[in-house]
Amino acid sequence: MRALRHPNAGEIELTRVLHALSDPVRLDVVRQLDHEGEATCAALDCGRPKSSMSHHFRVLRDAGVVRTRSDGAAHMNVLRREELDRLFPGLLDAVLAAR
Amino acid sequence: MRALRHPNAGEIELTRVLHALSDPVRLDVVRQLDHEGEATCAALDCGRPKSSMSHHFRVLRDAGVVRTRSDGAAHMNVLRREELDRLFPGLLDAVLAAR
DNA sequence: TCGTAAGTTCGATAAGTATCGAACATTCGA
DNA sequence: TCGAATGTTCGATACTTATCGAACTTACGA
């Protein structure tokens, strides 16, 4: 598959991260990734079609919240935990801790 | 002036708060409120017309980030610090600490 | 190599949002 | 009571976003 673009740490902006997290579907994805550690897009569908999920993953990727790597035909996604924690200490923890 | 609606603490939703904070203008307002403690809308204009700022204050109010009270002809705004800290511990701190 | 699976991209649509000027309402002071 | 100041509301516009089906690409296994 084509290479997926990721911002490097220095390009990650707070407002974009907040916006990425402000959607219920994407927040659910982030919660699951935090719990599962790593997952394919298909595994995290929220009952939505592939094209919708692909869109949400792209928003998360573009914001720097998620890193995606190819694994055969699948895409494995992980939270960019360490980088986000370094850039915005406590932010992800606070968001994930919220009931 | 007409009474301004505020959600009570139980109605405040994380995604709405994150969305409210995901705009540069509003984030700037929140930063200033955190620093100043209390301020009128006019004092926080970011070079934008009143109608634009009024819109942003409304988004912040509706999300539960800000509380507005009338003080004569002016509106005084404060962060809903305690309630937000109780609902989403560490969130506001993390957002405000970000460089 | 043929089919299946996994995602992306495209195109269309509907809904939401930011922006601003102008008009309006409210408060207070001269 | 008249005017100035403070915000809100309205209306219009442009932009962004969420949503989905369909077509496409890539990878892998039978």
Side-chain angles (χ1 to χ4, degrees):
Chain A
M1 299 217 170
R2 195 177 309 178
L4 298 169
R5 296 188 342 171
H6 293 84
N8 46 47
E11 296 169 334
I12 296 178
E13 293 171 22
L14 177 58
T15 50
R16 284 177 77 87
V17 171
L18 292 173
H19 174 255
L21 297 174
S22 74
D23 179 275
V25 174
R26 291 192 292 264
L27 188 54
D28 190 44
V29 166
V30 169
R31 282 191 210 287
Q32 291 189 62
L33 283 179
D34 177 58
H35 190 260
E36 312 286 339
E38 198 178 35
T40 64
C41 300
L44 300 183
D45 75 333
C46 310
R48 272 142 183 108
K50 301 185 299 178
S51 56
S52 295
M53 294 311 296
S54 183
H55 161 70
H56 288 302
F57 274 105
R58 194 164 98 81
V59 174
L60 288 168
R61 258 197 315 271
D62 288 351
V65 175
V66 154
R67 186 176 294 281
T68 307
R69 67 176 174 83
S70 286
D71 178 18
H75 281 182
M76 292 303 291
N77 300 281
V78 289
L79 287 181
R80 295 178 68 172
R81 256 285 187 190
E82 288 158 31
E83 292 159 285
L84 289 171
D85 284 350
R86 187 161 40 78
L87 287 168
F88 316 117
L91 178 60
L92 219 46
D93 285 332
V95 169
L96 291 169
R99 52 118 186 42
Chain B
M1 299 218 171
R2 193 178 310 177
L4 299 169
R5 296 190 337 171
H6 293 85
N8 46 48
E11 294 168 334
I12 297 178
E13 293 171 21
L14 176 58
T15 51
R16 284 177 78 87
V17 170
L18 292 173
H19 174 255
L21 297 174
S22 74
D23 179 275
V25 174
R26 292 193 292 265
L27 189 52
D28 190 47
V29 165
V30 168
R31 282 192 209 285
Q32 291 189 61
L33 283 178
D34 177 57
H35 189 259
E36 311 286 340
E38 199 178 35
T40 64
C41 300
L44 301 183
D45 77 331
C46 311
R48 273 145 182 104
K50 301 184 298 177
S51 56
S52 294
M53 294 311 296
S54 185
H55 160 70
H56 287 302
F57 273 105
R58 195 165 98 81
V59 173
L60 288 169
R61 258 198 315 273
D62 288 351
V65 176
V66 154
R67 186 176 295 281
T68 308
R69 67 177 176 81
S70 286
D71 177 19
H75 280 181
M76 292 304 289
N77 301 280
V78 289
L79 286 182
R80 295 178 68 172
R81 256 283 186 193
E82 289 158 30
E83 292 160 283
L84 289 171
D85 284 351
R86 187 160 41 77
L87 288 168
F88 314 117
L91 178 61
L92 219 47
D93 286 331
V95 169
L96 291 169
R99 49 117 190 46

